[in-house]
Amino acid sequence: MKSSASSKAKPRSILPGFGISLGFTIFYLSVLVIIPLAGIFVKTSGMTPGQFWDTVASARVIASYKISFMTSFFAALINLVFGLLIAWVLVRYRFPGKKLVDSLIDLPFALPTAVAGIALTAIYAPNGWIGSLLEPLGIKVAFTPLGITLALIFIGLPFVVRTVQPVLQDLDNEVEEAAVMLGAFRLRTFRRIILPELIPPLLTGFALAFARGIGEYGSVVFISGNMPMKTEIAPLLIMTKLEQYDYKGATAIAMVMLIISFILLLLINYLQWRSNRRVITE
Amino acid sequence: MAGAVTVHLTEKSAQRPKHINESAGVRIVLISVALLFLVLIVLLPLVSIFTEAFKRGAEVYFAALRDPDAASALKLTLMAAVISVPLNTLFGVAAAWAISKFRFSGKNILITLIDLPFAVSPVISGLVFVLLFGAQGFLGPWLSDHNIQIIFALPGIVLATTFVTFPFVARELIPLMQAQGVQEEEAAASLGAKGWQIFWRVTLPNIKWGLLYGIILCNARAMGEFGAVSVVSGHIRGETNTLPLHIEILYNEYQFSASFAVASLLVMLALVTLVAKSLIEWKTAQKTPKGDG
Amino acid sequence: MHIEVRNISKTFHGHKAVDNVSFSIERGKLIGLLGPSGGGKSTLLRILAGLETPDSGDIFINGKRVNDVQPQLRGIGFVFQNYALFKHMNVFDNIAFGLTIRKASKAEIKTRVGELLDLTGLRGFEHRYPHQLSGGQRQRVAFARALAPKPDLLLLDEPFAAIDAKVRKELRTWLKQLIGTLGITSIFVTHDQDEAVEVADEMLIVQKGRLEQQGSPVHIYTDPQTAFVAGFIGHSTVVEQPESLRGFGGSSLTAGAKALIRPEFVEVGREREIPFPSAAEKGKVRHIFFRGAHLELDVEVGSNRLSAHRSLDQEPLQPGDEVSVLIHRLYVISDESATIVENPLKVDPLPVHI
């Protein structure tokens, strides 16, 4: 800590390229991301509050937000549970094919969303491998909110696993042994000692999966059925408005989603900052 | 928000004394539940793409791949990747250099801003360019006066792809280079190395695997992006369709086998990405000696 | 006997970490488990705690065999090398953890934690989190946490290893006093002999998984039983050909045996300074090192090099000076054993050689 404080006082680094690298970074970021995104705000500012409100508060738009939120929330929740389980199993147990399973976790990151979408639809449609098994039980997956949730589970799975995994790996055996020596058996050690350490990464993973779910488009459109008021997600509604050349409507919906995304992004950064702060520096 | 967390599974942690481990029965149940979940959510979709693609025979499969529209979609997809990936790589290296090697105020804000495209819905990523360059956009009238086509053409697709894949390389490099610190570079500078020499001889060898991984992830996403490209492409068959869009069109026309056949190409891309990732992790794990005690 | 260990062995992947170790410990003693790194000390400690299972052998606590008692139920307090504090709990909750598991009442917990806060000087820090404490404070939290459930036996694994040198000295003294006051049987592992000598009532010297010697620090220093102990404790020089040294050439040495000589066994000076000139022989000063309170001399005697101490008050010597060297005694070492041999010429009233 001392060394970093003293080098902070150092006025300049002897390394070259600060001006050009930072300059290019800010230029590129502005041209490609900031200015285009600002366009959304400029466009909505061209609407009267009444127009804006009528668009974003119309029954169909509200319904789409609701569906996006509910499905993303439940998908993230399921990922929270199974992501923790998978990370646990991968870090702590030995079983054949473990390395392969570990690689498979990243598939949702690497697989184009449209491909995931048609594949999930094929399996969970009423005539699909699993859909046909569920049909007699009265469970419909494809073309219902359940299907959307399923697609979002697929998309969000790696977020929870990959944020929990390194923390679980770095957990010191000695901390668990300390609990053992104080008389705690397995379940209590998990609840009182291990789980509290995993809550920051679990929350981060949950927020990441949730944020990704709200914006997700490619994997959902195929399995959702896209019925207005029932299985129409917010990104799809933006798409529909665009196809009808209703740019203002599309932009207004996008504006609300953007604000939600920013809030989530800030929350995620805050969570990560908080969990980093607690690390004991030896 | 990238999924670019590199994790090495160490065998050490898998052998645990019994008082801090679960009983064999509990272990088996937990492993089974985890694997069942992965089979249902991840593995079955993967397998189904190939079975669906070959459902109507190899002939239909290869015919779908030989289709001229598929070929032009592939060409466009590659083109978008070839432009956007090097641009984002350049940006990623510059951003990581500035952020990890120097101190300046507002650094955290900058990092958050770099993350932005991850937080934005792909559809919105496309929308912003329609608002800028579309017929009714801010620059639309000027562009049409000068006969420049951006939306519903290659430039729009490239822009949307670049936007969406923007953070990948930077996100992979920043933590890596921050962890490596500045000592080696400062040593090189004190020995008289000049700017590019320092980068090529000292920094690059240290970050090459992370950089490669970032590029591979960036490329996978660039070739597979659907939502953003869908907004700006205009879906003109044979002209502004990328592979994912071509899959959608075939699917909506009920040409399922053809659709899955084209999809299988992208699955291959994804699998190559995963293999490359595993190789890189294996490579970096070899380089860092394991502490055992 | 409070703690009794019989024929304990433990093998990891073909490596014998603990090899047929037996010892017993009386109630209330503070035991230092000393030996080189990787010698099996920590494994032995973890076997006592129940964190490792021995391949063979028995452990008795208060006469009861505890091999099959789970570590949670052995009533042992354990202080880990890196403290293993619960990061998400404040000092109070860390100390209270063992009590909450025993379903103690709120009032009981409050009283007991209060006692320990006072005992460890942590009063006022109870709402801090581990990352807000210094190394020494964390160590004391770990100590208080282990003591809270009133264990029968306290085990400490390298308790001072992660603390910087100055604080370490203070903590050692503090810990020794505290354990003395509490009267709790304690075993601590260390690789630092100064630490063991200073703190322990009794030491167990462990090397390559085997117990080399058990005894009080003074006993082990003055009467090492094995070659390893003689070499490990204190500073010493190995002499390859002790029979060439004056006074040790006779039948007192078996042929081919080596010897260990401590600096305090060697007296170096001008001829008139040496009490038994007849027992001394000639040597040459090679190097002189200033060691603060005394000088350390590197002396050449025949083909042997010896180390000796000299007071700063004595007449100064220079490198290259011819000096008389008297070797009072040495340890003759064979593969296993160490025996002390006094210089026979020292006591002979009428030396033959003039």
Side-chain angles (χ1 to χ4, degrees):
Chain A
M1 292 313 278
K2 269 178 204 154
S3 69
S4 76
S6 65
S7 56
K8 204 172 208 167
K10 234 185 338 188
R12 284 185 67 91
S13 168
I14 60 164
L15 295 178
F18 176 62
I20 187 160
S21 61
L22 186 65
F24 178 67
T25 302
I26 291 173
F27 170 76
Y28 191 80
L29 182 73
S30 309
V31 168
L32 200 70
V33 178
I34 312 285
I35 294 174
L37 278 178
I40 301 242
F41 291 84
V42 175
K43 187 85 184 174
T44 30
S45 69
M47 298 170 84
T48 66
Q51 278 176 318
F52 181 80
W53 185 249
D54 284 347
T55 312
V56 299
S58 80
R60 189 172 167 190
V61 176
I62 295 282
S64 78
Y65 284 140
K66 230 187 225 164
I67 290 158
S68 280
F69 271 95
M70 295 290 271
T71 53
S72 300
F73 182 82
F74 284 113
L77 207 62
I78 288 169
N79 276 329
L80 189 75
V81 175
F82 282 92
L84 171 61
L85 174 67
I86 291 166
W88 183 276
V89 163
L90 283 175
V91 171
R92 302 216 157 189
Y93 302 154
R94 293 209 287 181
F95 54 92
K98 183 165 126 174
K99 285 261 156 73
L100 205 66
V101 171
D102 187 56
S103 316
L104 205 61
I105 302 295
D106 285 329
L107 188 76
F109 282 150
L111 194 70
T113 52
V115 177
I118 60 171
L120 286 168
T121 314
I123 298 172
Y124 289 94
N127 59 349
W129 289 344
I130 298 176
S132 61
L133 298 178
L134 296 174
E135 176 99 280
L137 306 174
I139 303 171
K140 277 192 182 157
V141 180
F143 319 124
T144 68
L146 195 58
I148 302 174
T149 310
L150 191 78
L152 297 180
I153 293 172
F154 175 86
I155 290 297
L157 175 69
F159 290 107
V160 178
V161 178
R162 292 303 188 221
T163 44
V164 171
Q165 217 174 355
V167 178
L168 197 54
Q169 199 135 47
D170 288 347
L171 262 193
D172 203 346
N173 278 359
E174 280 194 354
V175 174
E176 281 170 63
E177 289 183 336
V180 167
M181 291 314 295
L182 292 166
F185 283 93
R186 205 61 201 138
L187 208 57
R188 196 193 299 255
T189 307
F190 177 77
R191 243 188 34 226
R192 297 275 320 269
I193 306 301
I194 303 174
L195 199 57
E197 297 283 330
L198 296 181
I199 280 176
L202 279 171
L203 281 178
T204 308
F206 177 87
L208 284 167
F210 183 62
R212 176 70 201 264
I214 289 176
E216 178 56 22
Y217 175 73
S219 59
V220 176
V221 282
F222 297 98
I223 203 168
S224 71
N226 307 332
M227 283 170 289
M229 310 297 290
K230 286 194 186 127
T231 59
E232 189 177 51
I233 54 167
L236 181 76
L237 198 52
I238 296 177
M239 201 69 142
T240 314
K241 298 256 176 204
L242 271 180
E243 276 164 8
Q244 296 161 350
Y245 301 102
D246 180 5
Y247 288 132
K248 282 196 171 160
T251 313
I253 302 169
M255 174 81 176
V256 173
M257 287 185 63
L258 263 187
I259 291 169
I260 293 163
S261 304
F262 290 158
I263 293 169
L264 280 171
L265 187 65
L266 288 177
L267 179 75
I268 291 161
N269 281 11
Y270 170 73
L271 285 173
Q272 278 170 344
W273 170 79
R274 232 183 68 130
S275 61
N276 285 343
R277 201 180 50 128
R278 275 241 303 263
V279 174
I280 295 178
T281 43
E282 290 297 335
Chain B
M1 285 232 237
V5 190
T6 327
V7 181
H8 304 300
L9 291 168
T10 54
E11 281 314 304
K12 198 185 84 186
S13 58
Q15 297 169 320
R16 303 175 62 80
K18 67 169 192 271
H19 55 273
I20 50 167
N21 205 348
E22 286 70 49
S23 66
V26 174
R27 287 206 300 270
I28 289 169
V29 168
L30 292 181
I31 291 171
S32 309
V33 172
L35 291 184
L36 182 70
F37 180 80
L38 283 173
V39 166
L40 288 179
I41 297 293
V42 181
L43 193 64
L44 273 186
L46 188 65
V47 175
S48 77
I49 291 161
F50 289 97
T51 57
E52 291 285 334
F54 284 100
K55 215 176 196 171
R56 310 237 314 268
E59 247 171 81
V60 176
Y61 180 85
F62 288 109
L65 298 189
R66 272 197 303 269
D67 182 56
D69 288 346
S72 80
L74 175 65
K75 215 173 101 189
L76 188 60
T77 296
L78 290 175
M79 197 105 109
V82 162
I83 300 170
S84 62
V85 173
L87 275 176
N88 283 336
T89 304
L90 194 65
F91 161 74
V93 172
W97 179 264
I99 287 170
S100 65
K101 304 295 178 194
F102 301 95
R103 291 168 190 284
F104 54 93
S105 49
K107 193 188 273 189
N108 284 332
I109 296 173
L110 186 61
I111 295 176
T112 306
L113 287 176
I114 290 173
D115 269 350
L116 256 184
F118 279 141
V120 172
S121 170
V123 173
I124 297 177
S125 312
L127 171 67
V128 296
F129 292 106
V130 173
L131 290 183
L132 267 186
F133 303 115
Q136 300 180 24
F138 302 111
L139 298 174
W142 187 85
L143 288 171
S144 65
D145 286 349
H146 292 79
N147 222 359
I148 303 170
Q149 180 90 16
I150 290 185
I151 298 306
F152 308 141
L154 177 67
I157 293 172
V158 170
L159 276 172
T161 306
T162 314
F163 181 98
V164 168
T165 57
F166 174 85
F168 278 93
V169 177
R171 216 61 196 106
E172 192 62 29
L173 287 185
I174 290 168
L176 182 67
M177 284 167 72
Q178 274 180 332
Q180 285 171 352
V182 294
Q183 285 185 359
E184 287 189 39
E185 280 82 5
E186 284 182 345
S190 72
L191 293 169
K194 294 281 172 301
W196 283 111
Q197 281 178 315
I198 296 176
F199 181 75
W200 285 113
R201 300 259 204 92
V202 179
T203 311
L204 194 60
N206 278 336
I207 61 165
K208 61 183 177 206
W209 295 115
L211 180 63
L212 187 62
Y213 182 45
I215 292 173
I216 288 170
L217 270 181
C218 182
N219 180 62
R221 184 70 195 269
M223 290 189 168
E225 178 49 32
F226 177 71
V229 174
S230 181
V231 174
V232 295
S233 110
H235 303 269
I236 308 166
R237 234 182 158 131
E239 277 180 47
T240 62
N241 262 355
T242 60
L243 277 182
L245 296 179
H246 189 58
I247 293 171
E248 185 197 19
I249 289 185
L250 291 173
Y251 190 87
N252 287 342
E253 289 171 350
Y254 301 103
Q255 299 189 46
F256 292 128
S257 290
S259 171
F260 279 97
V262 178
S264 72
L265 282 183
L266 289 174
V267 172
M268 250 94 87
L269 170 75
L271 292 180
V272 168
T273 305
L274 293 188
V275 170
K277 183 196 175 207
S278 301
L279 282 180
I280 289 167
E281 278 178 6
W282 177 71
K283 202 84 195 168
T284 46
Q286 270 190 324
K287 259 196 352 192
T288 43
K290 275 183 216 153
D292 49 359
Chain C
M1 251 347 122
H2 185 203
I3 311 289
E4 198 165 349
V5 168
R6 282 188 208 150
N7 310 103
I8 290 283
S9 290
K10 174 83 182 172
T11 305
F12 290 116
H13 313 293
H15 164 74
K16 278 201 165 177
V18 177
D19 186 2
N20 198 23
V21 167
S22 304
F23 60 87
S24 50
I25 293 168
E26 284 171 51
R27 182 176 290 280
K29 289 273 191 214
L30 175 53
I31 308 294
L33 199 51
L34 175 68
S37 295
K41 310 172 299 265
S42 288
T43 309
L44 198 53
L45 202 70
R46 291 171 57 85
I47 288 174
L48 282 176
L51 297 174
E52 303 283 356
T53 318
D55 298 335
S56 59
D58 301 303
I59 303 157
F60 298 88
I61 297 179
N62 294 328
K64 189 177 156 246
R65 186 173 178 276
V66 296
N67 286 46
D68 303 318
V69 178
Q70 287 168 291
Q72 286 92 340
L73 304 174
R74 286 196 189 182
I76 291 177
F78 202 110
V79 177
F80 290 86
Q81 183 168 352
N82 295 310
Y83 323 131
L85 297 181
F86 305 135
K87 275 187 281 188
H88 59 281
M89 292 183 194
N90 62 24
V91 170
F92 186 96
D93 291 337
N94 261 286
I95 298 174
F97 186 78
L99 301 170
T100 57
I101 286 191
R102 282 162 184 76
K103 302 212 161 54
S105 71
K106 275 229 160 91
E108 277 176 275
I109 291 174
K110 208 164 175 241
T111 325
R112 179 68 181 146
V113 175
E115 278 170 31
L116 286 159
L117 286 171
D118 291 334
L119 196 66
T120 51
L122 288 165
R123 180 66 82 184
F125 291 94
E126 55 264 46
H127 298 301
R128 296 251 187 122
Y129 284 86
H131 72 269
Q132 299 166 318
L133 300 175
S134 72
Q137 288 168 332
R138 282 180 213 157
Q139 214 264 1
R140 284 187 277 174
V141 176
F143 189 73
R145 184 180 67 177
L147 286 176
K150 300 193 171 152
D152 227 13
L153 169 67
L154 184 66
L155 304 177
L156 307 102
D157 190 0
E158 297 272 8
F160 309 109
I163 297 174
D164 50 67
K166 200 164 174 265
V167 185
R168 198 184 307 166
K169 284 227 158 196
E170 291 169 22
L171 269 177
R172 272 185 210 165
T173 321
W174 173 80
L175 187 72
K176 184 172 170 70
Q177 282 173 352
L178 189 62
I179 288 177
T181 327
L182 295 171
I184 179 173
T185 315
S186 308
I187 305 178
F188 70 100
V189 158
T190 179
H191 62 271
D192 178 347
Q193 55 162 307
D194 293 342
E195 194 167 293
V197 166
E198 187 183 320
V199 179
D201 299 328
E202 202 173 288
M203 303 202 302
L204 295 172
I205 314 284
V206 175
Q207 189 234 174
K208 289 186 183 157
R210 286 202 306 271
L211 178 62
E212 295 273 339
Q213 192 171 350
Q214 178 177 8
S216 70
V218 177
H219 177 73
I220 285 184
Y221 191 87
T222 52
D223 188 16
Q225 297 293 304
T226 70
F228 172 79
V229 175
F232 186 68
I233 301 292
H235 300 277
S236 51
T237 323
V238 180
V239 177
E240 298 286 338
Q241 294 167 308
E243 62 275 10
S244 67
L245 295 170
R246 188 175 179 94
F248 298 95
S251 55
S252 57
L253 291 178
T254 49
K258 292 180 191 171
L260 275 176
I261 300 179
R262 296 215 161 122
E264 60 267 31
F265 295 173
V266 181
E267 207 167 333
V268 173
R270 308 277 183 213
E271 201 170 340
R272 59 187 142 65
E273 290 175 322
I274 304 295
F276 300 96
S278 57
E281 63 180 309
K282 292 279 168 257
K284 194 180 219 177
V285 178
R286 280 290 165 199
H287 299 283
I288 299 175
F289 306 99
F290 177 60
R291 289 281 183 251
H294 63 268
L295 296 172
E296 188 180 325
L297 308 178
D298 178 15
V299 187
E300 188 177 332
V301 180
S303 59
N304 296 312
R305 291 291 270 270
L306 300 176
S307 185
H309 291 169
R310 189 170 167 87
S311 161
L312 289 165
D313 304 329
Q314 284 172 293
E315 186 182 330
L317 295 174
Q318 299 299 324
D321 284 358
E322 295 282 339
V323 284
S324 281
V325 179
L326 170 64
I327 297 159
H328 288 279
R329 65 190 77 83
L330 49 69
Y331 295 121
V332 178
I333 52 173
S334 65
D335 285 347
E336 285 300 310
S337 66
T339 34
I340 197 158
V341 177
E342 293 284 338
N343 189 336
L345 301 179
K346 234 174 75 177
V347 287
D348 193 359
L350 285 169
V352 187
H353 322 271
I354 303 246

